[in-house]
Amino acid sequence: MEESLEQFFVLVGLLVCLACLAKCVRFCKCVLLSFWKVLPRSFLQSMGQWAVVTGAGDGIGKAYSLELAKHGLNVVLISRTLEKLHVLAREIEQTTGSRVKVIQADFTRDDIYESIREELQGLEIGILVNNVGMLPNLLPGRFLSVPGEIQSLVHCNVTSVVKMTQLVLKPMEARRRGLILNISSGVALCPWPLYTLYSASKAFVCTFSKALQAEYRAKGIIIQVLTPYAVSTPMTKYLNTNMVTKRADEFVKESLNYVTIGDDTCGCLAHEVLAGFLSLIPAWAFYSCPFQRFLLTRYTDYLRQNAGIK
Ligand SMILES: NC(=O)c1ccc[n+]([C@@H]2O[C@H](COP(=O)([O-])OP(=O)(O)OC[C@H]3O[C@@H](n4cnc5c(N)ncnc54)[C@H](OP(=O)(O)O)[C@@H]3O)[C@@H](O)[C@H]2O)c1
């Protein structure tokens, strides 16, 4: 009895060591990839002629559109404000020589996909960036005090990912090639109080993405979910940048180095480190009242000062 108990503990110890080793290997890979580009420059272009980016008019989506065009892809920009899309389209065409197609769509609605399907017909889509998303409250707030229409958030953060994937996956499967990047959030890695709805909607993106990758990996399609923390964009009221809060263009450039690293990534080394640090906080502390008080007071003050919120 004593001997089998001992063997049990040795086995548990070994499994814990293996799990730590796997984390270390992943972290080392991130460090390596953030300093040394191993992907050939033609890798993204080899996925297909066109990239489709949702929420492309500003922030992270705009940065993806520009960067993918620099990698030689033609880009379909889908977003809400037509003027912003035309300005970006001109910039991309002039600076990269890539072709650009613009589609105006509001992802808070669910009757837009038939016309998007028609607009995409005939294009060889190699890359889809499911980027569009909305954050109902930049400052932490309890569920009942958060403004906004719940159905709109679900359409924008959840439905858009599923429906856009549905539109491009079949031709990708036929060509046995394609890359789908789903932009979730660091607050999806565990349930975040005071960002409840956003955190839950982004957790859907993680689950959908990872399960779909398991289904389609053997068909040659890469599906990766990204879980960044702070990036300075209109969504975050252009939060001051620092070691953790990234500029959209630097985040995107770095994240594209990681497309083959695995099913999920924070997208940049700084956010990987932050995620590792946050995962060390025990659940009882993370979900405690003092931690929520900290978010409602100190963290709110930090956001007010650094994002210029009154
Ligand atoms: N910024 C961060 O710190 C951060 C962190 C983690 C995850 N994320 C995620 O990253 C993604 C991009 O974030 P971001 O900060 O770049 O966002 P953003 O600054 O709010 O907006 C980027 C673009 O999305 C478009 N858009 C917003 N709602 C739309 C809608 N209903 N229909 C069509 N287009 C819409 C905007 O259109 P207009 O041009 O008309 O305004 C804008 O062009 C989101 O999914 C977000 O949740 C962001």
Side-chain angles (χ1 to χ4, degrees):
M1 174 69 187
E2 234 172 63
E3 201 175 301
S4 53
L5 203 64
E6 194 182 313
Q7 279 173 351
F8 172 75
F9 281 121
V10 169
L11 191 69
V12 170
L14 270 175
L15 287 175
V16 171
C17 288
L18 269 178
C20 290
L21 191 69
K23 279 196 170 178
C24 287
V25 169
R26 186 194 151 94
F27 184 69
C28 290
K29 261 168 109 178
C30 277
V31 175
L32 195 75
L33 289 174
S34 71
F35 293 109
W36 186 41
K37 282 189 190 140
V38 287
L39 275 188
R41 210 177 146 68
S42 58
F43 179 82
L44 296 171
Q45 207 178 5
S46 73
M47 293 289 129
Q49 292 172 9
W50 287 82
V52 176
V53 182
T54 66
D58 222 323
I60 297 173
K62 179 180 176 181
Y64 268 114
S65 306
L66 270 162
E67 196 56 32
L68 290 171
K70 282 182 195 160
H71 276 81
L73 284 116
N74 300 320
V75 205
V76 181
L77 311 173
I78 313 181
S79 193
R80 204 171 35 186
T81 312
L82 205 52
E83 300 78 60
K84 279 195 198 174
L85 291 179
H86 283 314
V87 172
L88 177 61
R90 260 196 308 279
E91 183 184 344
I92 292 175
E93 282 165 349
Q94 281 167 5
T95 56
T96 67
S98 292
R99 288 167 62 198
V100 181
K101 195 176 165 80
V102 158
I103 303 176
Q104 185 182 29
D106 181 350
F107 285 98
T108 59
R109 296 168 46 172
D110 72 344
D111 59 354
I112 54 173
Y113 297 96
E114 193 43 41
S115 69
I116 294 179
R117 191 182 65 76
E118 281 167 16
E119 297 265 13
L120 297 182
Q121 218 143 41
L123 304 183
E124 186 193 74
I125 296 163
I127 300 180
L128 167 66
V129 186
N130 274 316
N131 163 77
V132 74
M134 56 196 267
L135 169 69
N137 56 313
L138 177 58
L139 299 181
R142 291 191 213 289
F143 176 62
L144 289 179
S145 64
V146 171
E149 225 256 277
I150 292 171
Q151 195 58 58
S152 297
L153 180 128
V154 172
H155 280 325
C156 190
N157 291 9
V158 174
T159 313
S160 70
V161 178
V162 179
K163 295 236 173 162
M164 287 304 300
T165 301
Q166 221 175 19
L167 287 183
V168 304
L169 194 54
K170 213 181 170 92
M172 282 182 177
E173 185 185 10
R175 289 188 297 113
R176 298 189 68 81
R177 192 172 281 263
L179 169 67
I180 299 179
L181 299 175
N182 293 322
I183 315 299
S184 173
S185 164
V187 301
L189 293 174
C190 65
W192 268 78
L194 306 175
Y195 289 99
T196 298
L197 198 54
Y198 181 69
S199 166
S201 70
K202 290 297 186 178
F204 172 90
V205 179
C206 286
T207 303
F208 175 73
S209 198
K210 288 181 192 175
L212 201 67
Q213 173 64 110
E215 287 180 33
Y216 285 87
R217 194 189 321 274
K219 311 254 183 196
I221 297 164
I222 301 171
I223 301 165
Q224 186 183 62
V225 62
L226 288 101
T227 53
Y229 289 94
V231 182
S232 181
T233 67
M235 178 182 278
T236 50
K237 307 269 186 277
Y238 294 107
L239 202 57
N240 294 340
T241 54
N242 53 36
M243 265 172 67
V244 171
T245 304
K246 297 283 169 184
R247 286 199 328 265
D249 62 330
E250 66 174 339
F251 168 77
V252 164
K253 221 178 239 162
E254 191 175 341
S255 76
L256 287 173
N257 287 342
Y258 299 137
V259 291
T260 55
I261 202 173
D263 303 356
D264 61 314
T265 168
C266 288
C268 66
L269 186 59
H271 293 186
E272 285 288 345
V273 173
L274 180 60
F277 174 73
L278 289 171
S279 72
L280 296 176
I281 302 176
W284 61 263
F286 194 76
Y287 296 111
S288 65
C289 289
F291 182 70
Q292 288 184 43
R293 254 198 313 279
F294 165 80
L295 286 179
L296 285 168
T297 54
R298 297 287 174 86
Y299 185 62
T300 299
D301 289 345
Y302 168 81
L303 288 176
R304 280 188 200 285
Q305 279 161 19
N306 285 277
I309 303 169
K310 301 234 166 60

